[in-house]
């Protein structure tokens, strides 16, 4: 007998009809003799609406109360899902994260799973029941309800698959799998048969919201293969797994864009040892994650430093940088939040050259100015003007012929 984890995202359970359809898929898997653990997200835009409601009450809601509020979204869907399975004549029981023993740290709104007590789930599965678990939530050591960051139901599914040693983990969503770019933005993006954890982790961190980045990190750490599949038909979707040798044949396997960052420039900084350490030390103390950094070549003993931070932290980052401007006797601080970061990702980059040149040429032909560049072994990112983001993404997608990658990966699948 196999144990299967099936996760349904918000759009796949956005109304009663869709919940019933998802329940049929669950029932089918159960009927075929599998033990099934179902993880569900909140219906449709419920989580966004709950966040909106809190912000109508106060600008700065307490993180603990926020978790208390937004976790209710998933509580609605688990109950409805269990009822839908009952209606099909099967036994099912729903549990919140806390009830099923998903213990996290206490970092409200971005908690991490510390341990999961599987006793309860196993007992229910052994009784022949489908176990329906609320995604995105847990409980900390003091019994407070916590949530795992936006998109966190993916993390619940992957963590349960890891701890239960599931034979398969299926992430059902509203697209046919992982594509070379967001198919809603790039209509000729192609679906990949397979993708490595590292590539998907980069894509997810760089703006492809199809999977929560932290859940991919978790899957990689515990070697949990999973599939991202459509909830509206039976196709197999995309398998996410360890890197295989032939995967390197594809130089670039995807492109993504994010508008979540803003840029800060500190001009006229004295060009001497210790300046960068002081500036970025201060930002780190404020818990601000700095991403891309460039420092100009100094002249006349002065230099400029530009870096990006999450848009949500811009105000705090500006305050910290202004403080440093005074301390370091720099000349000027400025910010630009109308930027986008465009990235191409592929493990094949390690063994092929010319990728950067191809990306930069494609942007040049489109008249897109590159403001900053950062690279790693398997990705190249360019910071550009926000208004050009979509056009630039399409141009780069075309330059790397990503519309054909699906055909090639078909061979590796
Ligand atoms: P769910 O509600 O199932 O969790 P999400 O909205 O979180 O679904 O993720 C699915 C969405 O991710 C798709 O609708 C798609 O627009 C977007 N997306 C972004 N980049 C990609 C990509 N490279 N491949 C597939 N989907 C992507
Ligand atoms: N409902 C949560 C969110 O919208 C979790 C999830 O969908 O995975 O972020
Ligand atoms: Mg999601």
């Amino acid at each position: 007998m196999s144990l299967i984890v099936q996760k349904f995202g918000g759009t796949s359970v956005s109304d009663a009809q869709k919940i019933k359809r998802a329940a049929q898929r669950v029932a089918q898997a159960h009927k075929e003799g599998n033990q099934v653990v179902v993880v569900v997200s909140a219906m449709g835009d419920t989580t966004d609406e709950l966040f909106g409601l809190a912000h109508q009450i106060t600008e700065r809601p307490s993180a603990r109360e926020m978790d208390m509020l937004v976790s209710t979204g998933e509580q609605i869907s688990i109950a409805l899902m269990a009822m839908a399975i009952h209606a099909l004549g099967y036994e099912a029981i729903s549990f919140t994260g806390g009830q099923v023993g998903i213990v996290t740290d206490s970092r409200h709104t971005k908690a991490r799973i510390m341990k999961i007590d599987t006793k309860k789930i196993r007992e229910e599965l052994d009784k022949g029941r489908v176990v329906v678990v609320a995604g995105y939530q847990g409980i900390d050591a003091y019994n407070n309800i916590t949530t795992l960051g936006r998109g966190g139901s993916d993390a619940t599914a992957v963590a349960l698959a890891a701890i239960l040693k599931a034979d398969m983990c299926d992430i059902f969503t509203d697209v046919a799998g992982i594509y070379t770019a967001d198919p809603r933005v790039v209509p000729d993006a192609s679906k990949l048969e397979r993708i490595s954890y590292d590539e998907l982790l980069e894509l997810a961190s760089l703006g492809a919201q199809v999977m929560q980045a932290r859940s991919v990190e978790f899957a990689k750490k515990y070697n949990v293969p999973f599939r991202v599949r459509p909830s509206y038909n039976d196709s197999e979707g995309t398998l996410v797994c360890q890197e295989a040798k032939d995967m390197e044949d594809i130089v670039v396997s995807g492109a993504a864009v994010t508008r979540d960052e803003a840029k800060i420039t500190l001009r006229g900084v004295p060009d001497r040892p210790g300046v960068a350490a002081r500036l970025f030390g201060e930002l780190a103390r404020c818990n601000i994650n700095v991403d891309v950094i460039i420092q100009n070549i100094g002249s006349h003993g002065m230099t400029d430093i530009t870096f990006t931070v999450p848009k949500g932290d811009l105000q705090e980052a500006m305050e910290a940088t202004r403080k440093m401007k005074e301390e370091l006797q720099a000349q000027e601080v400025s910010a630009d939040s109308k930027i986008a970061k465009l990235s191409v990702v592929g493990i094949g980059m390690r063994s092929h050259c010319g990728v950067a040149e191809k990306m930069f040429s494609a942007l040049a032909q489109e008249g897109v100015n590159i403001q900053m560049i950062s690279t790693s072994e398997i990705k190249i990112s360019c910071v550009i003007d926000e208004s050009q983001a979509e056009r630039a993404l399409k141009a780069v997608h075309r330059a790397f012929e990503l519309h054909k990658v699906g055909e090639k990966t078909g061979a590796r699948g």
Side-chain angles (χ1 to χ4, degrees), residues 7 9 41 151 154 173 209-212:
K7 179 249 168 181
S41 297
D154 295 333
T173 186
Q209 68 150 28
V210 59
M211 280 294 289
Q212 188 206 33

Side-chain angles (χ1 to χ4, degrees), residues 190-268:
S190 49
K191 186 180 73 83
L192 300 161
E193 293 297 319
R194 284 190 295 159
I195 188 167
S196 68
Y197 294 125
D198 284 331
E199 286 167 311
L200 182 58
L201 183 53
E202 287 285 4
L203 284 174
S205 321
L206 295 166
Q209 68 150 28
V210 59
M211 280 294 289
Q212 188 206 33
R214 262 164 62 176
S215 70
V216 184
E217 209 179 323
F218 195 95
K220 182 188 171 189
K221 187 165 165 193
Y222 294 98
N223 195 13
V224 186
F226 63 92
R227 285 185 299 186
V228 175
R229 306 177 60 180
S231 54
Y232 50 83
N233 69 27
D234 282 335
S235 77
E236 293 281 297
T238 302
L239 178 69
V240 186
C241 57
Q242 293 286 9
E243 172 180 338
K245 254 209 164 76
D246 58 344
M247 283 184 172
E248 283 214 0
D249 298 346
I250 309 295
V251 182
V252 168
S253 44
V257 74
T258 167
R259 293 171 178 81
D260 291 344
E261 291 179 29
K263 186 177 82 172
I264 297 180
T265 301
L266 184 59
R267 277 182 228 285

